[in-house]
Every structure is written in structure tokens, then in C-alpha cells.
Amino acid sequence: MPHGRVAVSQITFRDSTPEEDAVIHQLASRAYGRAAEADLAIDLLVAPLETISIVAEREGRIVGHVLFSRLEGPDRCLALAPLAVDPDFREMYVGTELVRHGLDRARQAGWKSVFVLGEPDYYGRFGFRSDLADLAVVEWQGPYLLALELEEGALAGWAGPLVYPEPFTRL
């Protein structure tokens, strides 16, 4: 079946393994057309911090990856980045399903909120909003910094610094 006819139901979503780091790096480099986001993914995966790393796989081939990593700021918050989908599998909802699976895993693990620097129209479909991130003090504050409460009220009354892991400073 040609890639263009692959249904998202033919794709498996699961936790990544350390043995797949090189494949994840290649995927992200191809998806972004440069190595910066790929390097970020690997630097976060090997860093001593809590992460949720999910891959999309079809017939033994990894076609997508999403990473969530612990932030310093509100109680039990995560950053969503990077999200990479093989160019051959775009427009097939692979990215959407990766984000959904990651958010579900984060909820199950007791995380309370997620921040992302991204396109409001895309991330808004998951419930991310810029107003929830407005009181975060971070270098890239603005309309593209979005937040999602995984637990209702998790960001209510919170304001202050949002500190991303060191690998983000290299972007």
C-alpha cells in the first residue's frame, strides 16, 4: 500500500527505547530539514530528567516521535518538544495521535500541565491556550507559548519563571 493510503489505524504508538535514539535522530533531522531539533531530542533523552518519549511505528519503521520533558515552574509540568513526523507520513494524523497518546500518558503518570511553543491553530485542537501561559516568565513568551491543564485548575493562580532543561538553550 502506498504511503499516501496508510490509515493511522495501521500505525502503532508505543514508548521509545534507548536503542532507537539514532533512528529518532534521523527521523527528526529529516522532518525538520536540519539537525537542531534532532539533537534536542537526543540530548533530552539521555539527560538525567523525566521524559515521556513515544514513537509511531508502521511495519517496523519509526515514522513519528514526540517527547515530553519535565520543566521547572508550576507543580508537575512538562514541555512538549520536539514533535517529528516523517515527511512521507504527514497529513495522516500521525502527529495528532502522537500528541494525544503523549497527553494520555502524562495524565496517567500524574503530570498536571504541559507547555508548548507552537502554532495555536494546531495545538488548540488539544485544548492548549496562550492565556494559560501568559504569566510564565520565559525567553520566548508570546502568543505561541501555549499551555494545557491536564488537571483542572493546575495553573490557576500560578505565575513565575518557567525553566526549560539546558538542551533547549542550544536551539
Side-chain angles (χ1 to χ4, degrees):
M1 181 181 288
H3 291 306
R5 307 180 94 176
V6 172
V8 76
S9 62
Q10 297 173 298
I11 296 173
T12 302
F13 298 87
R14 61 170 177 77
D15 291 347
S16 71
T17 65
E19 296 77 28
E20 295 168 325
D21 287 357
V23 175
I24 289 168
H25 189 275
Q26 290 172 341
L27 167 74
S29 292
R30 186 164 181 239
Y32 284 97
R34 62 185 193 158
E37 287 81 3
D39 294 344
L40 173 64
I42 300 310
D43 289 348
L44 291 168
L45 285 170
V46 302
L49 56 105
E50 294 175 83
T51 60
I52 296 172
S53 177
I54 298 177
V55 293
E57 181 180 43
R58 178 161 190 277
E59 297 178 350
R61 176 181 169 199
I62 293 176
V63 298
H65 176 250
V66 68
L67 186 63
F68 295 79
S69 52
R70 182 183 197 104
L71 292 174
E72 291 180 37
D75 185 39
R76 302 230 5 107
C77 67
L78 294 166
L80 186 171
L83 169 63
V85 175
D86 185 302
D88 292 342
F89 287 80
R90 290 198 180 133
E91 306 305 321
M92 293 179 208
Y93 300 101
V94 173
T96 298
E97 288 303 310
L98 279 165
V99 172
R100 283 193 178 131
H101 279 79
L103 293 173
D104 287 347
R105 282 284 317 285
R107 275 187 196 93
Q108 292 165 8
W111 293 97
K112 296 182 178 185
S113 62
V114 179
F115 289 81
V116 66
L117 184 63
E119 182 57 50
D121 288 342
Y122 181 81
Y123 288 102
R125 74 179 85 180
F126 306 104
F128 283 90
R129 301 182 352 225
S130 65
D131 64 304
L132 288 174
D134 282 348
L135 298 178
V137 178
V138 65
E139 180 182 341
W140 40 82
Q141 178 53 265
Y144 293 97
L145 181 64
L146 312 169
L148 171 69
E149 292 179 327
L150 298 175
E151 181 181 290
E152 189 175 336
L155 298 173
W158 176 82
L162 189 61
V163 182
Y164 278 71
E166 190 273 333
F168 280 95
T169 65
R170 294 184 232 143
L171 278 182

